[in-house]
Amino acid sequence: MKINNTTQDTELIHENTHLKQVIVKVSKAKDTLESAMKALGAFNLDKLKELRDNPAANSSDFLQFMDMLKNKSDAFNIPDKYKRLEELTNLAKEPYFSRIDITNGDTKNLRGDKKVDLNHSTHYIGKFGYTEEDKPLVLDWRSKVASIYYRYRYPQKGVVYETPDGIVKTDLLLKRTFEIDNGELIKFYNNDIKLDESEIIADKISERTGGVLEDIVETIQENQHEIIEADPRQVCIVQGTVGSGKSTVAIHKLSHIFFNFPDLIHANRSILIAKNQILVGYLSTLFPKLGIFDINYGTVRDLIYKLVFREEMAIKFDLNLEKDISSFDLRQLNKLKEDIKAIHEQYREHMAETYAIEENQSFAGFVYDPNLPVKANLNEGIEDLEEEIEFQTEFIKEHPMHSRAELFKKNIKTMRRITKKFTDLRANLKTSVLHELAKSYGVYKNPTLGYLQTLIYVFIYGELIGFKNTQKYEYCVVDEGQDFGVLEYAILNKMVINGRMSILGDLNQSYAKEGLSDWDEIVEVISGARKAHKFTLDTNYRSTRPIIEFANLILSSYTDKYLPISINRVGAKPEVKSFPTNNDMLVEFEKNIIKDVKALNKSIGIICMDENLLDNVEKIITKLKLGQEFIKLNDNDRISYLPRAVYLTHFENCKGLEFGKVYILGLNLSEVANFTDAKKAFVAVTRAMDELHIYGNKNIN
């Protein structure tokens, strides 16, 4: 849609006026809510001060006040109000980023044969919604109508969107994108068929500094939106090439789920899983930007710690031991499942044989369920019998002379014998069967169980005993999913309701020994994975074209699958230098980093391929006295990520991160000898957004 200058000026005036009106209304709502929260806080503080200063006050007065405070807080819903205040604060700076006009084409004749469009509606779309007097002034990007903006590149007839009542068909008359900075309209443009949206994305990305994860609400592409909108009740598997936005898509999907399925999936009952704490912390910084404040996140190790302690498993373990779980592959897992299936069958037969005894047959209504833990089946059988014993005992007490009293007395003796049998079976399950199976899989080869042995034990425990003290998650996102082993997935599957998972990763970054070689490996592990939604993201939005072409050269000798496609971001060619010694390399690096930090306008990532280089580089950076702008990525530390800082990391901790400028020290591309080496080099190289410098060593030590 082209706009002439006069129309452009008129539209600009109209959009400026509308923006100011919306900001005034949003700011007023923000101030009102802020005042209410301050008033509540001031009242509480005054009341506490009064209790403290009143010599007649006692503990009863204080407890009464605390009860009143809790009731008042619950009624006011402080967490929800705090979340809304954060949303309004953001909306006051940038209420919306786009506008769509839609209609179904119905018109009405006015005088003079003029027509009015009866169903024309204008919708402004923002990161959060805002409604006043039941009229939506800003549509939340997660709303159903807003999906039109992401699905269709330009105005056209017959666009569709889903609603709870079914699919709605309409015409898209206008698709407009705004650039608003701190409440000021900088510019707008109408998206038409001639507009190349990759240029818009490239322009947006060029403004990013790296170092922190940014939301992509304004630039979500159609294929990304399909993933975000996919039904969360089905498994979702995403093969996303490096820099395709899969991590941000995953978090946006969570935000979309919590908005559209509030009664089915809750943030505080959902979890994000990543391989290490560095990536977990990095990803979690995006949650507040999307209004998510109470989600769980961590590693599989974190889950294992919680499971062992909550379920009071009697094992001594150290998850820093035997961390290599690659030996326990899909074949081993299937063998273990068959052994567990055999135990289920043994116990089913034990229970069936007990009920088959003639005097027990009248109590044989129980049906064994192999989908439940063995102990749960025994518990259910015992509970059914105990319930019937209680009923018949009460009947005898109330009707001692009834003709059925003697029969019930006999029944009670029989049922207690059956209960004793099942109770003995249950005790034997935990004291003998569990340990014998664990022993056969090498769990007890050392007094202290390592990571592999603990995983095996926890899986067996879950199948035989079950997790009675641990509530299942309603949804789970797994980032960098290619790096997890099938045994880890098997445990995750036990922790999530009906296998509700989104698994995102890139097989070209799978170099860990326990990692996946194909997504089909988890089909046999995750519930419902055979019917999973499968998606592919093949476009790189992160790096410049020269960096992507360089990265693809590294991999193309070994594979032509899942290579990233560039959006043609311009930039300098990667610099590759080789030095006689490590000392020469460090001298060159020091000279350049000193220049960089004089005008630190982006994030700088320094990736060291070995520990010796890491220590030496840390000494160089420490001398620059950058303070909080120097961040060493350590799996044991809580990290505050900044958009303009110098990050130092060992190669093993860099996956999933991005930096404006990257130095890779100790990478010798001439020594890449196999697909695994190529994947490692590929991962390191593709951390760079705008600039890449690779320093190698001719004389490798």
Side-chain angles (χ1 to χ4, degrees), residues 103-119:
T103 182
N104 68 6
D106 287 350
T107 60
K108 178 181 180 181
N109 283 318
L110 299 177
R111 273 191 236 171
D113 287 331
K114 291 183 179 179
K115 292 184 177 182
V116 62
D117 190 335
L118 296 175
N119 292 285

Side-chain angles (χ1 to χ4, degrees), residues 214 300 408:
E214 301 284 354
V300 174
F408 280 7

Side-chain angles (χ1 to χ4, degrees), residues 432-483:
S432 179
V433 176
L434 166 67
H435 295 297
E436 286 301 316
L437 182 59
K439 184 179 179 181
S440 70
Y441 280 85
V443 168
Y444 304 122
K445 67 178 185 178
N446 295 311
T448 300
L449 279 60
Y451 185 56
L452 173 59
Q453 291 75 36
T454 306
L455 286 176
I456 296 171
Y457 182 88
V458 168
F459 180 76
I460 293 172
Y461 191 99
E463 290 288 330
L464 300 185
I465 309 300
F467 305 135
K468 65 175 182 179
N469 300 322
T470 305
Q471 195 174 31
K472 284 190 174 185
Y473 293 104
E474 294 172 344
Y475 201 79
C476 174
V477 164
V478 182
D479 194 43
E480 300 295 347
Q482 76 282 344
D483 289 338

Side-chain angles (χ1 to χ4, degrees), residues 417-576:
R417 281 197 299 270
I418 301 173
T419 302
K420 175 67 166 58
K421 173 68 174 178
F422 290 173
T423 303
D424 290 344
L425 285 171
R426 185 173 62 183
N428 186 62
L429 177 70
K430 192 168 185 178
T431 58
S432 179
V433 176
L434 166 67
H435 295 297
E436 286 301 316
L437 182 59
K439 184 179 179 181
S440 70
Y441 280 85
V443 168
Y444 304 122
K445 67 178 185 178
N446 295 311
T448 300
L449 279 60
Y451 185 56
L452 173 59
Q453 291 75 36
T454 306
L455 286 176
I456 296 171
Y457 182 88
V458 168
F459 180 76
I460 293 172
Y461 191 99
E463 290 288 330
L464 300 185
I465 309 300
F467 305 135
K468 65 175 182 179
N469 300 322
T470 305
Q471 195 174 31
K472 284 190 174 185
Y473 293 104
E474 294 172 344
Y475 201 79
C476 174
V477 164
V478 182
D479 194 43
E480 300 295 347
Q482 76 282 344
D483 289 338
F484 293 84
V486 291
L487 183 55
E488 291 173 310
Y489 275 117
I491 290 176
L492 282 176
N493 186 54
K494 295 192 68 61
M495 298 299 300
V496 182
I497 294 173
N498 297 330
R500 291 183 196 154
M501 291 189 196
S502 280
I503 301 165
L504 305 95
D506 180 15
L507 295 176
N508 279 337
Q509 299 181 66
S510 179
Y511 56 80
K513 287 192 289 185
E514 69 265 25
L516 303 176
S517 59
D518 192 284
W519 293 114
D520 286 341
E521 290 183 53
I522 59 175
V523 167
E524 297 182 44
V525 182
I526 304 297
S527 300
R530 293 185 186 279
K531 297 180 180 179
H533 293 294
K534 293 183 179 180
F535 301 92
T536 299
L537 297 175
D538 55 12
T539 302
N540 178 287
Y541 300 104
R542 173 190 298 155
S543 308
T544 62
R545 186 181 189 89
I547 292 172
I548 291 305
E549 289 177 344
F550 183 84
N552 283 345
L553 281 175
I554 295 172
L555 278 189
S556 57
S557 297
Y558 303 94
T559 184
D560 59 359
K561 289 185 176 181
Y562 311 131
L563 297 179
I565 300 170
S566 172
I567 60 168
N568 206 24
R569 283 188 62 218
V570 297
K573 288 184 177 181
E575 177 190 48
V576 182

